[in-house]
Amino acid sequence: MKKILQFYNSTVESLYKTKHVSVFQLYPKTISLSLLLSEFSNMSVFLFMLLVSILNPVVSHKSCDFPAVFNLGDSNSDTGGYASAFTPPTSPYGDTYFHMPARRFSDGRLIIDFIVGTNFSHGINFATSASTIRLPISVIPNGGFSPFYLGLQNSQFEQFKVRSQVIRKQGGLLASLMPKEEYFSKALYTFDIGQNDLGEGFFSNLTVQEVNASIPDIINKFSANIKNIYNLGARFFWVHNTGPIGCLPYVLVAFASTEKDPAGCLKPYNEVAQYFNLKLKESIAQLRNEFPSAAFTYVDIYSVKYSLFAEPQKHGFELPLVTCCGYGGEYNYSSAVLCGGTITVNGTEIFVGSCDNPSVRVVWDGIHYTEAANKFIFDQISTGSFSDPAVPLKQACQS
């Protein structure tokens, strides 16, 4: 502080001697565009701003050097977890980009594919379709939810961290594929999970109010898992909130008599998702206070996804509530026959295939999004415009 004041005093003396000094010449490192356009005419204002700039230097906006990404989540980011353990999706899944089934529940790439495509050299994806934050009441094959809930994914990560280093010490071909030990503290940890916790409640005949009442416990479980991963060395967290579940055909069909909003989505069900997101955002704020050495970025994916349903034409999409790969009814969706399945109608077997142009459609199979929608969502959230704090993906170590 003494040196700062000495610099300040010497600058004042110099300014009074020269009468007029260019702002850019005086302090180029903290200059802003508005200051470049004009020079201060009021000496006292200028000196005050100068002192503030010294005490609060501008933060560098260089990209973070994340050596790896570790992802935990559900089908929104599952690139093969479910397919490895259970029945993999068949054609036309994957047809748009991979031209074959690619273990993803979409016609092509997911948001996590675009995230990883930003040049991560290492990482692993623990996400599994049908996964929840809490341990589900019923799991496959006796129920519709994955046994790989977030707590188990957390355990898998913990085991991977230990075993990967054992493999590295052993040497050989596999050793080069394993992340270095220091990568775990420098990696980006991404999370996209929670939709199935809400869905489990809705499809277990709970009322909207009862599902709402379960949300604080769901969020507490989420926070506990974040803390566990932090204790394993994670420091940079990129957390997606949940999307507008009331806009998805599998919910629209199941609860058709529910009040709709102007976009045609089920208003009460989206309000539950919004409440989930409110509590999630509060938990992220609490985690920031508890772990100030970590960077937590809360990503409002809900708003981006909802814009596809509310203003599809603005973004180059059409028929946002109608399933691309499905069969039957207003939303081209029926739980009786899903994408890639067959159904017999009037003695004729019909294959449930893709719509003609998935690139302008939002919903792929009634539950998941098309590659085109995923790419649009990624383009929006990667800029930081929908993040708290408002940092781009590549600068998520600075939040």
Side-chain angles (χ1 to χ4, degrees), residues 191-324:
F191 297 81
D192 193 327
I193 194 167
Q195 176 178 314
N196 292 322
D197 291 87
L198 305 185
E200 181 186 30
F202 296 143
F203 287 92
S204 297
N205 296 319
L206 296 183
T207 65
V208 165
Q209 292 75 20
E210 288 171 329
V211 177
N212 260 339
S214 72
I215 286 174
D217 184 60
I218 295 171
I219 297 301
N220 285 340
K221 294 292 192 300
F222 179 83
S223 294
N225 279 281
I226 293 288
K227 291 177 184 179
N228 287 340
I229 293 176
Y230 174 90
N231 290 332
L232 291 170
R235 291 297 179 269
F236 308 122
F237 299 86
W238 179 268
V239 182
H240 294 177
N241 67 11
T242 199
I245 191 171
C247 298
L248 299 176
Y250 84 109
V251 175
L252 285 164
V253 169
F255 308 100
S257 62
T258 306
E259 176 189 2
K260 294 182 174 64
D261 68 13
C265 303
L266 303 187
K267 185 178 179 180
Y269 291 82
N270 277 350
E271 287 174 347
V272 172
Q274 291 169 336
Y275 179 62
F276 174 95
N277 293 338
L278 172 65
K279 304 309 290 185
L280 177 65
K281 189 172 184 179
E282 289 175 355
S283 74
I284 296 299
Q286 179 58 40
L287 287 166
R288 287 195 195 103
N289 291 333
E290 194 168 342
F291 304 111
S293 64
F296 295 91
T297 306
Y298 170 89
V299 184
D300 182 16
I301 211 165
Y302 179 100
S303 293
V304 182
K305 287 183 174 179
Y306 187 76
S307 72
L308 291 173
F309 298 102
E311 302 178 295
Q313 289 154 343
K314 176 181 177 181
H315 306 304
F317 291 86
E318 61 186 37
L319 302 173
L321 300 175
V322 179
T323 302
C324 175

Side-chain angles (χ1 to χ4, degrees), residues 170-187:
Q170 290 174 341
L173 178 61
L174 288 178
S176 62
L177 300 176
M178 297 295 109
K180 297 178 181 178
E181 185 174 4
E182 60 267 27
Y183 285 7
F184 290 95
S185 62
K186 298 178 180 178

Side-chain angles (χ1 to χ4, degrees), residues 56-262:
N56 299 283
V58 174
V59 177
S60 171
H61 292 296
K62 293 188 294 185
S63 295
C64 306
D65 186 20
F66 296 122
V69 58
F70 297 104
N71 181 69
L72 297 89
D74 55 26
S75 57
N76 288 306
S77 60
D78 178 7
T79 55
Y82 184 96
S84 298
F86 308 109
T87 305
T90 58
S91 181
Y93 283 93
D95 280 5
T96 295
Y97 182 77
F98 301 101
H99 308 296
M100 60 181 291
R103 299 150 66 92
R104 293 157 173 80
F105 286 88
S106 179
D107 61 315
R109 291 167 291 180
L110 310 179
I111 296 170
I112 188 65
D113 288 304
F114 295 109
I115 290 176
V116 173
T118 57
N119 191 27
F120 289 99
S121 58
H122 290 84
I124 190 167
N125 191 357
F126 298 94
T128 305
S129 296
S131 289
T132 52
I133 293 172
R134 298 192 300 184
L135 178 65
I137 297 171
S138 60
V139 299
I140 301 167
N142 298 319
F145 294 96
S146 168
F148 299 100
Y149 71 109
L150 185 58
L152 189 53
Q153 292 180 33
N154 193 324
S155 177
Q156 290 177 319
F157 168 72
E158 184 173 1
Q159 292 180 51
F160 173 76
K161 183 181 179 184
V162 174
R163 293 178 181 178
S164 64
Q165 299 316 296
V166 172
I167 293 172
R168 282 189 61 84
K169 290 177 181 178
Q170 290 174 341
L173 178 61
L174 288 178
S176 62
L177 300 176
M178 297 295 109
K180 297 178 181 178
E181 185 174 4
E182 60 267 27
Y183 285 7
F184 290 95
S185 62
K186 298 178 180 178
L188 181 66
Y189 291 78
T190 58
F191 297 81
D192 193 327
I193 194 167
Q195 176 178 314
N196 292 322
D197 291 87
L198 305 185
E200 181 186 30
F202 296 143
F203 287 92
S204 297
N205 296 319
L206 296 183
T207 65
V208 165
Q209 292 75 20
E210 288 171 329
V211 177
N212 260 339
S214 72
I215 286 174
D217 184 60
I218 295 171
I219 297 301
N220 285 340
K221 294 292 192 300
F222 179 83
S223 294
N225 279 281
I226 293 288
K227 291 177 184 179
N228 287 340
I229 293 176
Y230 174 90
N231 290 332
L232 291 170
R235 291 297 179 269
F236 308 122
F237 299 86
W238 179 268
V239 182
H240 294 177
N241 67 11
T242 199
I245 191 171
C247 298
L248 299 176
Y250 84 109
V251 175
L252 285 164
V253 169
F255 308 100
S257 62
T258 306
E259 176 189 2
K260 294 182 174 64
D261 68 13

